[in-house]
Amino acid sequence: MSAIGPAGRASLMAHLVAYYPDRESSFHTALGLVDAGVDFLEIQFPFSDPTADGPAIQEACATALETGFTMAGGFQLVGELAQRTDRPIMLMSYAGPVFARGVARFVSEAAERGVAGLIVPDLPLDPQYNEGLFEAARGAGIEAVPVVVAGAPEERVRLVLEWEARYVYVALRRGTTGDQTTLTPEAVAFLDRIRSAGVYTFAGFGVSSREQVEQLGAHADSVVVGSAFVRTVHARKEYGPAQVRNGVYHLAAELVGGPRGPASRNGRRRRGRSRSGLGRL
Amino acid sequence: MQGQADGPRRAAESDSDKGRRGRQGAAGQGRHDFFGEFGGRYVAEVLRSPLDELEIAFDEAISDSAFQRELDGVLRDYVGRPTPLIAADRISDQIGGARIYVKQEGLAATGAHKVNNAVGQALLARRMGKSRIIAETGAGQHGVAVAAVCARLGLACDVYMGELDMRRQKPNVFWMERYGARVLPVAGGSATLKDAVNEALRDWSASFEDTHYLLGSVLGPSPFPDMVREFQAVIGRETQAQCAERGIEPAALLACVGGGSNAIGFFSPYLENEGTRLIGVEAGGRGTDPGEHAARMRGLGRPGIVHGYKSLFLLDEDGQVLPTHSVSAGLDYPGIGPQLAHLGRTGRVEFRRATDQEALEALDYFARTEGLLFALESAHGAAAAPAVAMEYSNDQAIVLNMSGRGDKDLFIGARELDREGWKRFLKEEYESL
Ligand SMILES: Cc1ncc(COP(=O)(O)O)c(C=O)c1O
């Protein structure tokens, strides 16, 4: 499967929390990331009880809810972003808000707003526990992305392959988001195994440096950076949307290996759409 | 109730899923993934393997007579089982109607039914080769029970507790530490019980190799609701035997419902016995507005998925968890165990509410009239007892579960029931330090 990013390197997926620290800042954060050259945006719709997240994203979710995030507002924001960039938008949330919306409704709203994929870690691929998310997404022409943990038993990998998932998200270690990850030989072997089956592989959890991105990039199609961006937003949130945008822009530019020029639609340069066969592309 | 109706989306079910859904534990009510539409295992992939491991270990242990003997021994010698059943004669004489009996679970070691589950799961964890236990606690009753049991079994123990709860329940923090546990403050979210559950799940997702998460009520992802019910079913089995000794066939059983563990454990052997009404009493708090109570049944809760299971929760329209209130910290939780939510739907279990005020009055009434000191949680059940008794005649009987004793509520009870005297005492106490 062809990579999204430029030849010779893996693509980068940057994670942000909608409405963190407020709606406007999160909108500019997203555009800053796109302008710095990230290939995917992963936008988290906050939940009051994010059990898979570490302290940085927990704090972001709590703040986002305080500053007025609603599901309707979140979809509106995502829709506006999709108008401004060609980069695929992945929508991440928890079973709680997705189920409350109604899975079918959540999926169709996401598809209508131009979302390419859905990541809901506590709705696993197992048919009895996913509330029909995976089939509904496929029916709407987008993809729900199953998660596997590096080192998972073969039967968990088989579940993903049998579903003929287009993407898979490989969590590089146990635990929650945020803590530093060391790439183990076992994780590398696991990534290579998944990728050899032809599934577009996102790899993440605890990635925050250029060195890690390069290391991982040899074994995954796309490297996910989450808490590092969220922490950058946190550090600058008192200084307003422009400073938040600058912060994430510079971190993203460093992670992708130098700025690749503006790519949002009001920018000077736009990269062509990729040919990866991504949901909405 | 075994398994869940098959829908089209189940077509891709894997072999291991078929295995689980077909499996019956040898003892008790067996294993369920779902109770009607509620229950399940909605967890991030990382928690899949510890839950699988736990499920297998539990199924093996519960059908192993050696494990059962060990458990019975600890329940007898350490917990002090069986707990007594006593007739509340003076109250029955005063109010008329059915005779009221009280199952004194609060006489168990550490002061509440929580210890039954703590002993069961801690023995299981040791059998699984785990060396560390983590737990969540709200009021601190579950935390105290777990800390004490870990001390006995020589297991390391970390208890997560919301910062707000640590302030409200200082004495229990002190006792947990005396038992050698670390109490880890949780600052995130509302800094209460639900956030302590989140933090314990986060810890477990990284530590499960040597750590068991000892969840304190009949909630969370499967197999917790089944497992906790089975360890609490000793309450109901003893009640059945004690009633039989006295020639009583109870017309109704009454229990307070937080997550639901004392209630379902008490009701469990009676579920098939349609002649006995089962009544759960939730925390009515200060009113029915959001944030003022912790009652999920009778229209206030919505179907949702939180903490790895589907049930009825106090949620806003977007599925975000709402704050809760109850004078009793042990009932101050936004969700209800999936089996009870289901039994409420089918009508097998009736739900009522008692307000803070009603619970405090019941506490006072039972203490003065019967010499029985109810925990504030259990006092919610007691508050509903007179009205239920009056629906029957005096040749009938109802049984009320006193899930905990009230000593632990000194600080809250005194503030509510003797504010001035308590203030004076605290001031003098402070000055004497
Ligand atoms: C004495 C007592 N009763 C009841 C409860 C509520 O829990 P559950 O509904 O699981 O029995 C608690 C919880 O802390 C408690 O301490």
Side-chain angles (χ1 to χ4, degrees):
Chain A
M1 184 159 295
S2 67
I4 296 275
R9 74 156 183 89
S11 73
L12 190 79
M13 177 152 86
H15 182 108
L16 67 146
V17 175
Y19 280 60
Y20 180 62
D22 53 58
R23 186 188 196 280
E24 192 191 350
S25 298
S26 65
F27 184 73
H28 289 285
T29 299
L31 293 182
L33 290 165
V34 166
D35 285 345
V38 308
D39 306 277
F40 290 86
L41 288 174
E42 183 186 19
I43 301 182
Q44 177 166 2
F45 278 9
F47 177 43
S48 53
D49 294 80
T51 47
D53 284 306
I57 294 181
Q58 283 173 49
E59 193 266 336
C61 288
T63 304
L65 289 169
E66 276 164 26
T67 55
F69 173 87
T70 60
M71 293 297 272
F75 278 120
Q76 178 76 30
L77 175 76
V78 164
E80 287 171 28
L81 281 169
Q83 305 270 311
R84 297 280 294 270
T85 175
D86 290 333
R87 301 301 151 80
I89 295 174
M90 309 301 253
L91 189 53
M92 183 264 167
S93 195
Y94 281 89
V98 173
F99 180 75
R101 196 78 174 162
V103 170
R105 180 177 170 202
F106 179 85
V107 167
S108 68
E109 283 177 306
E112 280 162 23
R113 302 291 183 169
V115 165
L118 303 170
I119 303 172
V120 188
D122 49 353
L123 291 179
L125 198 43
D126 309 67
Q128 70 275 37
Y129 305 133
N130 71 41
E131 299 296 314
L133 175 76
F134 288 81
E135 282 182 8
R138 223 164 242 189
I142 62 177
E143 279 284 302
V145 182
V147 180
V148 286
V149 185
E154 186 58 23
E155 62 171 84
R156 301 307 294 167
V157 177
R158 223 183 317 124
L159 200 58
V160 172
L161 300 183
E162 276 168 12
W163 172 248
E164 295 180 5
R166 184 176 289 158
Y167 315 113
V168 63
Y169 186 118
V170 178
L172 292 168
R173 56 160 171 75
R174 295 171 184 173
T176 52
T177 57
D179 293 336
Q180 184 76 19
T181 299
T182 344
L183 192 59
T184 61
E186 292 75 33
V188 166
F190 188 84
L191 283 170
D192 291 344
R193 151 93 179 86
I194 298 258
R195 224 174 151 206
S196 70
V199 193
Y200 190 96
T201 307
F202 294 98
F205 260 51
V207 179
S208 59
S209 72
R210 171 79 194 142
E211 193 190 347
Q212 281 176 304
V213 171
E214 273 173 5
Q215 230 186 359
L216 258 180
H219 306 280
D221 295 296
S222 189
V223 180
V224 188
V225 177
S227 299
F229 286 118
V230 174
R231 283 192 290 262
T232 303
V233 174
H234 175 82
R236 290 179 171 239
K237 66 183 178 165
E238 307 306 328
Y239 304 101
Q243 284 307 315
V244 170
R245 182 200 172 282
N246 273 350
V248 296
Y249 175 88
H250 287 294
L251 176 60
E254 184 190 319
L255 293 176
V256 300
R260 284 191 239 124
S264 59
R265 255 173 220 167
N266 57 352
R268 282 163 304 162
R269 198 191 73 162
R270 278 177 54 193
R271 289 191 12 236
R273 293 186 166 194
S274 85
R275 303 141 308 279
S276 67
L278 282 164
R280 64 181 265 273
L281 299 182
Chain B
M1 267 183 306
Q2 177 69 22
Q4 161 77 304
D6 278 8
R9 68 174 192 266
R10 291 167 205 285
E13 181 174 273
S14 73
D15 290 346
S16 67
D17 298 323
K18 281 181 196 132
R20 169 170 324 97
R21 289 173 52 225
R23 193 181 302 147
Q24 274 285 132
Q29 291 177 50
R31 298 264 303 98
H32 313 71
D33 227 7
F34 285 90
F35 306 90
E37 70 175 285
F38 299 125
R41 185 180 289 182
Y42 299 87
V43 295
E45 188 65 18
V46 65
L47 284 174
R48 158 67 79 165
S49 78
L51 288 167
D52 281 346
E53 183 196 1
L54 180 60
E55 173 182 333
I56 292 165
F58 171 67
D59 284 348
E60 283 171 5
I62 204 79
S63 51
D64 175 351
S65 56
F67 179 80
Q68 207 61 56
R69 269 196 308 278
E70 189 181 23
L71 176 59
D72 290 346
V74 180
L75 290 178
R76 185 191 61 221
D77 301 336
Y78 180 62
V79 175
R81 305 207 69 91
T83 57
L85 180 73
I86 194 172
D89 282 334
R90 281 165 46 79
I91 286 185
S92 295
D93 289 345
Q94 281 182 12
I95 60 182
R99 308 301 293 181
I100 298 173
Y101 287 79
V102 178
K103 173 68 170 163
Q104 296 192 73
E105 246 344 83
L107 296 191
T110 68
H113 71 292
K114 295 283 178 189
V115 72
N116 303 324
N117 170 52
V119 167
Q121 285 196 51
L123 288 174
L124 179 62
R126 192 172 69 175
R127 186 185 154 104
M128 292 169 76
K130 309 289 178 187
S131 56
R132 173 176 175 257
I133 299 288
I134 54 173
E136 83 293 342
T137 198
Q141 282 310 104
H142 174 58
V144 166
V146 173
V149 170
C150 285
R152 271 207 71 73
L153 298 185
L155 296 164
C157 179
D158 284 338
V159 180
Y160 287 101
M161 190 168 187
E163 274 183 353
L164 194 65
D165 288 336
M166 283 180 74
R167 242 178 292 139
R168 292 194 290 195
Q169 309 289 331
K170 187 74 185 159
N172 275 340
V173 175
F174 177 79
W175 294 126
M176 281 185 269
E177 288 171 347
R178 297 285 73 66
Y179 288 123
R182 273 200 305 181
V183 182
L184 305 173
V186 178
S190 53
T192 61
L193 177 57
K194 78 172 181 70
D195 308 286
V197 175
N198 293 335
E199 207 53 36
L201 286 168
R202 291 181 188 117
D203 181 317
W204 203 37
S205 72
S207 65
F208 55 79
E209 209 127 283
D210 67 356
T211 297
H212 173 65
Y213 176 19
L214 207 164
L215 220 164
S217 193
V218 280
L219 43 86
S222 69
F224 283 109
D226 280 323
M227 184 169 65
V228 179
R229 180 197 62 242
E230 291 308 315
F231 287 138
Q232 292 292 5
V234 64
I235 309 172
R237 286 196 301 271
E238 283 178 8
T239 303
Q240 246 182 344
Q242 290 163 327
C243 284
E245 276 167 24
R246 290 168 166 81
I248 302 164
E249 203 32 84
L253 302 183
L254 273 143
C256 68
V257 180
S261 67
N262 88 87
I264 198 76
F266 185 44
F267 296 163
S268 177
Y270 290 89
L271 285 174
E272 307 297 319
N273 179 0
E274 296 288 337
T276 300
R277 259 168 89 193
L278 305 175
I279 302 169
V281 185
E282 296 185 284
R286 298 178 290 229
T288 52
D289 287 345
E292 295 293 305
H293 63 89
R296 293 94 1 148
M297 304 303 288
R298 297 177 52 207
L300 294 176
R302 298 170 185 257
I305 299 174
V306 182
H307 292 156
Y309 67 106
K310 189 193 293 181
S311 189
L312 295 171
F313 294 90
L314 296 172
L315 303 172
D316 73 11
E317 279 172 23
D318 277 350
Q320 311 291 350
V321 178
L322 290 168
T324 50
H325 163 80
S326 171
V327 68
S328 67
L331 303 186
D332 206 353
Y333 175 76
I336 182 168
Q339 185 170 13
L340 280 169
H342 173 65
L343 293 169
R345 278 256 162 108
T346 65
R348 180 65 190 99
V349 176
E350 280 167 55
F351 285 89
R352 300 188 174 205
R353 295 197 273 270
T355 62
D356 289 352
Q357 192 55 37
E358 287 163 343
L360 286 161
E361 283 165 11
L363 186 153
D364 234 18
Y365 182 50
F366 274 81
R368 272 189 288 109
T369 319
E370 293 288 352
L372 293 171
L373 188 61
F374 277 66
L376 273 170
E377 291 79 10
S378 325
H380 286 71
V388 173
M390 281 189 276
E391 294 178 39
Y392 298 95
S393 57
N394 66 3
D395 56 351
Q396 290 172 296
I398 65 171
V399 185
L400 164 63
N401 190 32
M402 183 181 106
S403 56
R405 61 174 181 257
D407 324 35
K408 69 173 178 72
D409 295 320
L410 176 62
F411 280 76
I412 297 165
R415 165 196 278 265
E416 301 286 341
L417 299 168
D418 176 25
R419 186 177 289 258
E420 285 314 309
W422 184 243
K423 248 172 94 175
R424 255 195 324 277
F425 165 74
L426 286 179
K427 189 155 174 281
E428 285 162 16
E429 197 58 10
Y430 176 78
E431 281 161 3
S432 75
L433 281 175

